[in-house]
């Protein structure tokens, strides 16, 4: 009897774990209290700093937008992400835009700022008396960002966080990473030869991948040398390796994805204790880069196996929902690996259900969440 019961419970858990998130039930939206979404910008032109000397394309190809800017496809993707969020959260948000309910912040990049505006345009098409123009189905929604050198939250940690830089340097010079570089030496040499620049590190290969990926998505003809397993295969692996190395120790994970989780947990706790300001806030939108998505996936243990190591596509998103059911608060994690994909429900290791009680969620993520970010970064300035 006991065994059967146990079997039954396991079966129930498994069934919950694989349930598709496509169909949003009414119950889902009845219990929802707060949403955080971290997403990558839409498709873009290459960045000037990542162009390689033999690249056949340059500023003329990218005119009139220039380097590192959203393409028209990228604009459609970001807008579509807003529509996807509208589809899921229609009941929760309601159709009317109330300024206090939504907070959007981007990094200090044109493409993430533009993406955030597009997501909001897809999420809040004006209705009723918020329609102010006969042809234009859009309303202005203010957004926020911190200047790049003062962005201690969404921006990839840099010299503002000396402890992170030291730890990353240690990881990059570790024997394990040196051995890895040795194992891909012939590929790196091949890239060096064909790009016309030194490609000796995974970071340099990451730049080449980003450029070729951008050009590929723009439907530009790629150079011949990228064929035969270099793009996407080898370059994708090298770019992912760079993401992995940036998250390769507990300290790196704390100061990367853990930093984002810290903010999210603070907000969720405040919401659960009725002290979130403003109190009717419903959704936080964070417009960033692939690392903002990868770092969260890694910190939460969803980027460990080779099958999980998927480079987050343009307008991919990681979403954290706070639910309340019979006075119990619980967290649900969702991953949208690209903008047309289904929402994947992600079950935190150690939690029995995709809906993870808030206190369990906090306990299970404790080792990866910084307590005092300023102190752990060994920063001379306050980072909060
Ligand atoms: C590239 O080509 C594909 C297939 O024809 C098309 O669906 C896509 O919209 C094109 N992308 C751009 C940026 O034109
Ligand atoms: C975090 O640490 C810094 C530096 O040690 C300190 O000045 C600050 O008061 C601490 N913040 C909190 C919230 O404890």
């Amino acid at each position: 009897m006991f065994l059967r019961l146990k079997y039954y419970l396991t079966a129930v858990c498994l069934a919950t774990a694989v349930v598709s998130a496509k169909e949003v039930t009414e119950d889902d939206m009845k219990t929802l209290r707060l949403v955080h979404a971290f997403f990558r910008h839409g498709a873009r032109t290459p960045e000037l700093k990542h162009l390689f000397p033999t690249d056949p394309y340059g500023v003329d190809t990218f005119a009139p937008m220039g380097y590192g800017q959203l393409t028209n496809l990228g604009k459609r993707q970001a807008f579509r992400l807003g529509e996807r969020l509208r589809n899921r959260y229609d009941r929760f948000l309601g159709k009317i835009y109330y300024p206090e309910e939504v907070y959007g912040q981007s990094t200090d990049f044109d493409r993430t700022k533009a993406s955030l505006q597009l997501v909001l345009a897809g999420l809040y098409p004006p209705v009723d008396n918020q329609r102010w123009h006969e042809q234009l189905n859009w309303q202005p929604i203010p957004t926020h960002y911190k200047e790049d050198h003062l962005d201690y939250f969404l921006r990839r940690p840099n010299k503002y966080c000396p402890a992170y830089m030291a730890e990353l340097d240690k990881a990059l010079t570790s024997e394990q990473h040196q051995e890895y570089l040795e194992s891909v030496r012939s590929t790196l040499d091949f890239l060096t030869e064909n790009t016309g620049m030194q490609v000796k590190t995974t970071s340099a290969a990451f730049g080449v991948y980003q450029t070729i990926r951008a050009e590929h998505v723009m439907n530009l003809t790629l150079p011949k040398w990228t064929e035969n397993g270099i793009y996407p295969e080898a370059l994708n692996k090298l770019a992912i390796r760079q993401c992995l190395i940036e998250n390769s120790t507990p300290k790196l994970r704390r100061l990367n994805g853990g930093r984002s989780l810290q903010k999210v947990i603070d907000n969720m706790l405040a919401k659960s204790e009725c002290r979130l300001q403003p109190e009717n806030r419903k959704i936080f939108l964070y417009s960033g880069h692939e690392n903002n998505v990868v770092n969260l996936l890694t910190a939460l243990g969803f980027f460990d196996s080779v099958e999980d190591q998927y480079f987050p596509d343009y307008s991919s998103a990681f979403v954290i929902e706070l639910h309340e059911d019979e006075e119990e608060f619980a967290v649900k994690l969702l991953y949208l690996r690209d903008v047309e994909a289904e929402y994947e429900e992600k079950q935190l290791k150690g939690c029995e259900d995709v809906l993870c009680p808030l206190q369990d969620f906090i306990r299970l993520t404790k080792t990866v969440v910084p307590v005092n970010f300023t102190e752990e970064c060994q920063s001379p300035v306050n980072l909060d």
Side-chain angles (χ1 to χ4, degrees), residues 22-47:
K22 182 177 58 178
E23 300 294 325
V24 184
T25 67
E26 257 177 60
D27 283 354
D28 259 357
M29 292 304 109
K30 259 191 224 149
T31 56
L32 188 57
R33 295 294 175 266
L34 191 65
V35 176
H36 289 82
F38 293 80
F39 51 88
R40 188 182 180 201
H41 54 79
R44 60 165 171 88
T45 59
E47 284 238 57

Side-chain angles (χ1 to χ4, degrees), residues 14 51 57-58 67 85 91 97 111 132 145 155 157 170 189 211 220 226 267 283 290 295 330 374 378:
L14 285 175
L51 272 197
Y57 304 106
Y67 297 113
L85 295 171
R91 259 164 196 284
Y97 160 63
R111 61 179 175 275
W132 57 279
Y145 70 91
R155 189 76 175 105
K170 226 165 71 184
D189 287 348
T211 293
L220 297 172
T226 61
N267 287 338
I283 189 165
E290 77 296 321
N295 294 346
T374 303
Q378 294 169 6

Side-chain angles (χ1 to χ4, degrees), residues 71 73 76 216-219:
T71 61
L73 172 66
R76 285 193 292 274
H216 172 66
V217 174
M218 291 177 78
N219 287 342

Side-chain angles (χ1 to χ4, degrees), residues 320-343:
I320 302 162
E321 296 180 350
L322 179 70
H323 290 261
E324 181 186 10
D325 200 2
E326 288 157 12
E327 294 180 28
E328 260 253 308
F329 282 88
V331 177
K332 185 182 268 189
L333 306 169
L334 299 158
Y335 180 34
L336 204 56
R337 63 177 66 204
D338 75 65
V339 74
E340 295 300 344
E342 281 184 19
Y343 288 98

Side-chain angles (χ1 to χ4, degrees), residues 193-211:
E193 215 171 284
N194 286 285
T195 57
M197 67 175 202
Q198 294 293 327
V199 185
K200 289 191 180 306
T201 61
T202 46
S203 163
F206 177 94
V208 175
Y209 171 73
Q210 291 277 43
T211 293

